[in-house]
Amino acid sequence: MNNRHTPWLWVPSLYFVEGVPYVLVNTISVMMFTKMGVPNDQLSFFTTLLYFPWFLKGLWSPIVDVVRTKRWWIVMMQILMAALCVLATVTLPHPDAAMIAEKSTPVSLFWLTLVLFIITAFASATHDIAADGYYMLAHPADSQARFVGIRSTFYRIAMVFGQGVLVFIAGRIERSTADIPLSWQITLGIAGIILFVLTLYHIFALPKVENTHSSVASGTTDLWMDLWSAFKTFFTKKNVVLAIAFMLLYRLAEGLLVKLSLPFLVDAPEVTLRDGQIFGGGLGLDTDMVGVLYGTIGVLFLLLGGILGGLYISRHGLKKSLWLMAALMTIPNFVYVYLSAAQPENLWLIGSAISFEQFGYGFGFTAYMMYMMYFAQGEYKTSHYAICTAFMALSMMLPGFVAGKIEMAVGYNAFFWIAIACSLTTVAVTYFVRRQVSETYGRKNG
């Protein structure tokens, strides 16, 4: 049977590979630098920089469309990402135990690791562009719709694998060897081997459905003109200022929390002061338990919230759903205020709190995604949605740059109260956006 008619042979593995580097660069890096003793202000700033390629990827997407084939881009980016992961493994610095314990490891020690991660981020963003385009070419239109759920599922499995399984492995190695740098070196090596094996598989499994582009001149010109036209019309749409405000501010509190939730879970409970900066005040969880509670159970509740949020909107419509969605985006954040004040040791309690917060975020985030689709309607809807996703990326980057500095100045408990206060922006933009959303948008048969 021709591969073109058997998407089961390549769709699951392709979207699993799409998810692993993203989680590696944006989530696992935060955990790794935290365990290596990098202070929160430095790790939050520099790991936020790693998100830039996904913010900017629309700028070079026309190149992927007209240079070579999307299959070629997929394979080349996978080879590059696997090689970079192996290189990061063999070059990972080993700060001494005293620096790690004092949380005084300078991020400059990891300059080569950061360079490798940023190249991986560009390769991963490019792979996203190619994979999504290839998906639409490599099998019939009726099959595309049926496999949307499959591709999403395996992308989410990659999230569980990265945040859960890989972090759990790192924790188990750390527990058995008492060598934190070695634990992350082995973990990165495992990720690199998996990427390498799947790359070899895709060289043979991905069907060849495109002709190689030998000339890019006219195609590039047309694509850049379309891109400019889409960009110009986006910023002349009705209510564009309100839409941008919603996209930047609806998740402001979450943008602060998400960057420091992992450091909070593993930082020592004891608080120390050094040069006016606050260290510690966390829950002191072991790395493997974070992999279970946050990276596995928490992610599953995040996905459950997203599924139920989508069903709720399909029944009631976006406009009627917005207030409940906004409430579940903000109210569960209080669990971090409680956890930072009480510093409980009961893993069931901690796991339940994390699951509640992640469920609320997944449920409330559905409204954000639906609003972007609502605003992108009309001519150039694909390009306009891509611009919306750039603002979505920016909404997490801007608070991420300052989150660590704020926390080190005031401590975790006050930091989480500040995040709660930022939830007022969620309420404000929800109030104004709700007034201009169609009554029937998002409702099934509406």
Side-chain angles (χ1 to χ4, degrees), residues 25 37 42 56 62 114 118 121 130 143 179 185 187 205 214 220 227 240 272 288 315 325 352 386 394 418 431 440 442:
V25 169
Q42 296 182 46
L56 299 172
L114 286 168
I118 194 67
S143 178
D179 189 334
Q185 198 169 25
T187 302
S214 58
T220 303
L227 183 64
V240 64
T272 59
D288 53 349
R315 182 172 182 177
M325 297 282 182
S352 298
L394 190 61
I418 290 171
Y431 172 77
T440 59

Side-chain angles (χ1 to χ4, degrees), residues 285-355:
L285 295 181
D286 292 329
T287 304
D288 53 349
M289 287 311 304
V290 174
V292 173
L293 297 179
Y294 187 92
T296 303
I297 298 174
V299 170
L300 292 175
F301 272 88
L302 174 73
L303 301 180
L304 177 62
I307 293 169
L308 294 181
L311 292 174
Y312 189 86
I313 290 178
S314 71
R315 182 172 182 177
H316 299 282
L318 177 60
K319 185 167 187 171
K320 289 186 177 179
S321 304
L322 267 169
W323 277 125
L324 178 61
M325 297 282 182
L328 284 176
M329 276 287 291
T330 56
I331 293 173
N333 292 338
F334 278 98
V335 302
Y336 281 106
V337 173
Y338 165 74
L339 291 174
S340 60
Q343 294 184 309
E345 297 181 358
N346 187 297
L347 295 179
W348 286 100
L349 177 59
I350 296 171
S352 298
I354 292 171
S355 299

